[in-house]
Each structure stands twice: as structure tokens, then as C-alpha cells.
Amino acid sequence: MNGFFDIPSDLQHSYPGLIALHMQEALVPVLVGLLLALPIGLLCVHNDWLYPPVLWTSTVLYAIPSIAFFVVLIDYTGLTQLTVMIPLCLYSLVVLVPAVVDGIRSVPEETNAAAAAMGIGPVRRYFQVQLPIAVPAIMAGLRVATASSISLASVGSLIGNQGALGNLLTTAMLYHRPHLAVTSVVTTAVLAIAVDALLVLLRRLLTPWQPPSARKARRLASTIPDAARTVEGVS
């Protein structure tokens, strides 16, 4: 097992250090992307003509290979983490903006009208009424964007060892140590699964009003006949 976690000294990080660096490079762009997507999505909902060009622009940016972004950005940001995180932030917008738009559009008009009748202004209505209802749609997009970002962060290994766990892939080829490639792939997959599970838990905490999952609903439904038979036996 030592071969899997024996990190070469030229990477300048231990195994836990690479994990921390990978999470930083992957999650910070998604967080920034979410902060950008929230106002952009609101503008697109209130201005229908704006949504198609925004969606088209984000899709075009997503289609640009990360290497091309690196070539353009290196002259300005150098061989740094920022060069990796900027493309990841732009990539996240193609998922997060539609998620925000769909979530806000899912809010019933009666709810918006009732909030306006109560004297709640547009800003408060957005944060206190619309966003809480839109949480399931937004969290669904956030899960996709996060998993994608954790995977794509490894591409940073192409520019001066800025790929965190992805650096193990190039090192595995350089030193002919396939164990490091296995470590990189497995660790990245485990991180994506763990973060996704945390996001699911966060969604449940933020939406206690949502009905139980289908499995829980079936389990609850199966207990109803048993309870009914018990009541009949007692009567």
C-alpha cells in the first residue's frame, strides 16, 4: 500500500496536501460560479430576451478546451492556480445559470403575488421566497457542476503541476509508477461522491418541507395496511 501513497518530493505536497489543493481548485470556482449565476439567473427570469444569449454564451465557453483557456490566461495569470480556476468557474455557469432560472420559474405566481401583497419588496422576495423554493433545482445543478469541477481540476497538471491530484497522473508516467495513477483516479472519484453526498444532505436540511423520497414513501405506504389491520383487530 505504501506505493499508492508514496508521493514524490518534486510535487511539493503530501497526499493530504494534494487533496486539500484539489478541493480548493475545484470548489472555489463552483462557489464563485454560483454567486454569479444567482443574479444572472434573476435577470434572465425578468428579461426573457436575455436568457438565450446568456445560455448560448455559456455553452460556447464550455465548448472551448481548457488548454486553449490556459494558453490565453498564462500571459496574464501565469502558471498559477488562478489559471486553472477561471475556466472551471466559466464551465460551471453553463449548468448553474439554467438551474437558477428553472428554479425561480418554478415558484408559483400565486406565491409571488401573496408575497407582494404582504409588502415584501423584490430583493427580499428573491431571497426569502423565491430562492428557498428554488433550492431543489439549484442544488441539482450544483451537484452536477461540483462533480464536473472535481474531475476537470486534474487538467491543471498540464501547466506547471497545478492539477493537484491530476499531477499524480503525469508523475505516474514520468516515473513509471502506475500505482500513482490509480491513487489519483480513485481519490478523485471518492471526493466527488463524498461532496455529492454532502450536497444531498444540505439540500435536505434546506428543504424540510419536501416530501420524503420515493423509497421512504413506499416504505410508509407499506406500513399503512399493517396499521389498518391492527386497528381492525383491536376494534
Side-chain angles (χ1 to χ4, degrees):
M1 293 295 293
N2 290 334
F4 289 95
F5 304 104
D6 184 13
I7 308 301
S9 59
D10 57 350
L11 292 184
Q12 301 177 351
H13 286 284
S14 62
Y15 178 65
L18 288 176
I19 292 178
L21 182 63
H22 197 94
M23 296 301 286
Q24 178 184 355
E25 288 187 352
L27 298 184
V28 170
V30 176
L31 177 59
V32 174
L34 179 61
L35 294 177
L36 292 175
L38 289 175
I40 292 175
L42 181 62
L43 288 175
C44 291
V45 169
H46 289 285
N47 302 276
D48 292 337
W49 61 268
L50 187 61
Y51 186 44
V54 168
L55 187 60
W56 181 86
T57 302
S58 61
T59 303
V60 170
L61 291 175
Y62 190 82
I64 299 176
S66 55
I67 298 179
F69 270 121
F70 295 160
V71 171
V72 174
L73 292 173
I74 283 175
D75 290 338
Y76 303 97
T77 56
L79 301 176
T80 63
Q81 289 181 302
L82 188 60
T83 304
V84 179
M85 291 191 290
I86 290 176
L88 294 181
C89 177
L90 295 176
Y91 291 157
S92 68
L93 292 177
V94 74
V95 177
L96 294 176
V97 171
V100 172
V101 171
D102 292 341
I104 297 176
R105 286 178 174 175
S106 68
V107 179
E109 287 299 326
E110 296 82 0
T111 303
N112 287 321
M118 294 173 62
I120 300 178
V123 177
R124 283 184 56 202
R125 186 161 66 245
Y126 180 54
F127 286 101
Q128 297 182 3
V129 178
Q130 295 174 336
L131 278 185
I133 297 177
V135 163
I138 295 175
M139 291 300 293
L142 189 61
R143 291 174 61 189
V144 175
T146 302
S148 176
S149 185
I150 292 176
S151 174
L152 291 174
S154 298
V155 182
S157 60
L158 299 175
I159 55 167
N161 284 336
Q162 296 298 330
L165 289 170
N167 297 341
L168 295 177
L169 297 175
T170 55
T171 303
M173 294 186 292
L174 181 63
Y175 294 107
H176 304 287
R177 296 176 56 185
H179 295 81
L180 295 178
V182 175
T183 301
S184 174
V185 172
V186 173
T187 305
T188 302
V190 170
L191 289 177
I193 294 172
V195 174
D196 185 71
L198 290 176
L199 289 175
V200 171
L201 178 61
L202 178 61
R203 177 185 61 80
R204 292 179 179 177
L205 293 175
L206 293 176
T207 58
W209 42 267
Q210 272 205 310
S213 62
R215 181 179 299 179
K216 289 184 178 179
R218 288 195 298 268
R219 189 182 305 168
L220 180 62
S222 65
T223 61
I224 293 177
D226 296 335
R229 286 194 294 269
T230 302
V231 172
E232 291 177 358
V234 173
S235 59

